[in-house]
Amino acid sequence: MQLLDGKKVSEAILAGIAETVSQRKQEGKKTPHLAAILVGGDPASQTYVASKVKTCEQIGFGSTLLRLGEETSEPELLAHIAAFNADPEIDGILVQLPLPRHIAEEKVINAISPEKDVDGFHPISLGRMVLGLPTFISATPNGIMMMLEHYNIDTTGKHCVVIGRSNIVGTPMSVLLSRNSNPGNCTVTLCHSKTRDLKALCLQADIIVAAIGRPNYVTADMVKEGAIVIDVGINRIEDSSKKSGFRLVGDVDFDQVAEKCSYITPVPGGVGKMTICALMNNTLLAVKDK
Ligand code: NAD
C-alpha cells in the first residue's frame, strides 16, 4: 500500500506557485489576491478559512478575510460580494459554506463574478467544466485530479465508484474522472443515499472516491484487493484524549481498508491539503493575464 500524501504533494505544488508569485513581483506584475468571506462562527469553517488565509501568506498572495456575524442578512452579504466583484485588487472570491439557514446559498454563489469564482461553484464554472472548456474547477475534485496526476496513476479504463453526489465534490468528480483526459477516461458509477447495494458496487471498483460525510463508512469488506481509495470525508468524532475534545476521521475506515489498497489517502493530510492547493492554483489562474 502506498500513501497518497496530500501534505507532501501540496507542499511541492505550493512551492511552485510561490516561485511564480515571486517572479511576478520581480517583473512588477500584480500580486494574486484572494478574498474570503466567513459568515457566523461554525468552528470547522473557521479552521478551513484560517488555513486558506495562512496558505495565502505562505506563498506570497495578498488576502482579505471578511468575518461577518451569524445575523448578517442576505442583502448585506450580497452587497459585500458586489464590492469585491468591483474591486480590481481582488482576483478571487470565496464564501465559506455552509451559510446560516436564512441565507440562500444558490443566490450567494450566483452573485460571485465567474471571473473571480475560484471555488468553481458558479453555474457558469460548472457548465464550462462539464463541456471541457477552460474554467475554475471546484477545488476538492480538482485537487484529487492533481494528486492522481502527481503519482502518475493510470486511471484509463478503470471503474471508479464515486460515493456522494454533492455539487461541490461528488458530481464534479464523476464528470472529471469520466472525461477524455488523463487522469480521466474512467467508467464512473455515481452512488448516493438512494443507491441499492453500495457494497456490491464498491467491490467492483478499481477506484473509490468517498464523499459522504459519515465517519468510517467505507469498510474493508466493501473494498476490492488492490483498489485505489480516495477519502474526501472530514468528520469530527469525540476524543477525550485530545485537547480539543475531538479528532478528525474520514469516510473510510482507514486502518482496515489500507491493508487491502494499492493507494489510499489519509485523513487528515490527504484530500484536504490538496483542496487548498487547488484553490491557490485557481487564484493564480484568476490573476494570470493581469
Ligand atoms: P453532502 O452532505 O453535500 O453530500 C453527501 C452525499 O453523500 C450526498 O450526495 C448523499 O446522497 C451521499 N450519501 C449520504 N449517505 C449515504 C449513504 N449511506 N450511502 C451512499 N451515499 C450517501 O457532503 P459534501 O459537501 O459532498 O461532503 C462530503 C464529505 O466530504 C464531508 O465529510 C465533508 O466535510 C467532506 N469535504 C471535504 C473536503 C476536503 O477538502 N477534504 C471538501 C468538501 C467536503
Side-chain angles (χ1 to χ4, degrees):
M1 180 276 292
Q2 188 180 345
L3 207 63
L4 296 171
D5 189 336
K7 188 166 180 287
K8 219 159 99 185
V9 180
S10 71
E11 274 168 12
I13 295 174
L14 289 172
I17 298 177
E19 179 60 35
T20 306
V21 174
S22 130
Q23 223 158 354
R24 287 184 63 90
K25 286 180 184 171
Q26 278 169 29
E27 291 165 8
K29 292 183 179 163
K30 189 182 176 308
T31 300
H33 192 115
L34 177 67
I37 306 179
L38 176 64
V39 187
D42 176 65
S45 294
Q46 294 203 41
T47 312
Y48 297 147
V49 168
S51 65
K52 289 168 189 174
V53 170
K54 194 171 144 210
T55 307
C56 282
E57 285 164 12
Q58 282 166 356
I59 61 175
F61 283 10
S63 65
T64 299
L65 171 55
L66 180 61
R67 290 174 185 275
L68 300 171
E70 186 83 31
E71 70 297 339
T72 304
S73 71
E74 192 179 278
E76 273 177 89
L77 175 56
L78 294 175
H80 284 296
I81 293 172
F84 282 166
N85 281 340
D87 185 343
E89 178 54 27
I90 289 171
D91 305 296
I93 303 170
L94 77 86
V95 178
Q96 187 65 44
L97 302 178
L99 290 165
R101 277 169 184 274
H102 64 277
I103 299 176
E105 208 169 276
E106 198 188 330
K107 255 193 195 170
V108 171
I109 290 170
N110 288 358
I112 297 171
S113 161
E115 288 81 47
K116 300 190 178 187
D117 175 40
V118 288
D119 255 340
F121 297 163
H122 193 283
I124 288 183
S125 307
L126 274 167
R128 290 183 67 89
M129 189 268 292
V130 171
L131 293 170
L133 299 170
T135 190
F136 299 117
I137 297 172
S138 39
T140 301
N142 197 15
I144 293 170
M145 296 298 273
M146 289 160 97
M147 170 111 89
L148 293 170
E149 197 177 349
H150 182 92
Y151 281 93
N152 236 334
I153 292 174
D154 184 11
T155 58
T156 302
K158 300 248 164 81
H159 180 207
C160 178
V161 167
V162 176
I163 319 172
R165 60 180 161 190
S166 72
N167 290 339
I168 63 170
V169 189
T171 295
M173 190 76 256
S174 70
V175 173
L176 291 173
L177 283 169
S178 61
R179 74 184 185 184
N180 188 356
S181 63
N182 187 26
N185 281 318
C186 290
T187 303
V188 178
T189 303
L190 182 57
C191 299
H192 44 77
S193 53
K194 303 286 191 294
T195 294
R196 284 193 201 145
D197 205 354
L198 180 66
K199 179 178 167 182
L201 291 163
C202 285
L203 280 169
Q204 293 172 33
D206 304 305
I207 304 172
I208 295 175
V209 179
I212 316 160
R214 293 184 175 216
N216 304 323
Y217 192 78
V218 176
T219 47
D221 60 331
M222 296 165 78
V223 178
K224 184 169 84 173
E225 204 69 50
I228 297 163
V229 176
I230 312 286
D231 191 354
V232 182
I234 301 178
N235 308 290
R236 286 180 175 211
I237 60 167
E238 268 185 45
D239 185 342
S240 55
S241 71
K242 301 273 176 202
K243 214 168 84 185
S244 59
F246 69 85
R247 70 189 152 93
L248 297 180
V249 298
D251 289 345
V252 175
D253 183 0
F254 183 90
D255 292 339
Q256 307 300 320
V257 171
E259 288 178 15
K260 294 181 91 175
C261 293
S262 54
Y263 295 93
I264 188 166
T265 60
V267 177
V271 174
K273 292 280 179 198
M274 294 307 299
T275 296
I276 295 184
C277 184
L279 175 71
M280 298 302 143
N281 201 44
N282 277 350
T283 308
L284 182 62
L285 288 176
V287 75
K288 266 258 160 91
D289 300 329
K290 293 180 201 159

